Amino acid sequence: MLHTMSTTVETASERSAAEVNEEIRALWRRSGGTLTTEQRAEYQRLVMEWAAAAPRSHRAA
């Protein structure tokens, strides 16, 4: 599966937490475990999107 880096945050209704999580995993695989500054910004955006899409039971800690 080919993933492209998005520059806009999609709303939770557009993508599920699982879909966003898969993109996060793909980002880490592409990076080889070390994120560049640009990749780190993408990671932070994805984590925020994931948090917005995640069911409440996964947010509590």
Side-chain angles (χ1 to χ4, degrees):
M1 177 182 274
L2 179 62
H3 295 277
T4 59
M5 290 181 59
S6 170
T7 58
T8 59
V9 175
E10 296 183 38
T11 63
S13 64
E14 292 179 11
R15 296 200 307 173
S16 70
E19 290 172 312
V20 178
N21 189 43
E22 180 55 34
E23 189 170 343
I24 291 169
R25 289 173 184 264
L27 173 63
W28 279 105
R29 284 191 298 270
R30 285 191 312 269
S31 75
T34 303
L35 299 176
T36 65
T37 302
E38 183 178 295
Q39 288 169 322
R40 191 171 299 126
E42 177 71 2
Y43 173 75
Q44 290 173 346
R45 184 197 65 75
L46 288 168
V47 168
M48 296 299 290
E49 183 180 349
W50 175 86
R56 286 199 168 273
S57 62
H58 288 105
R59 289 189 221 170

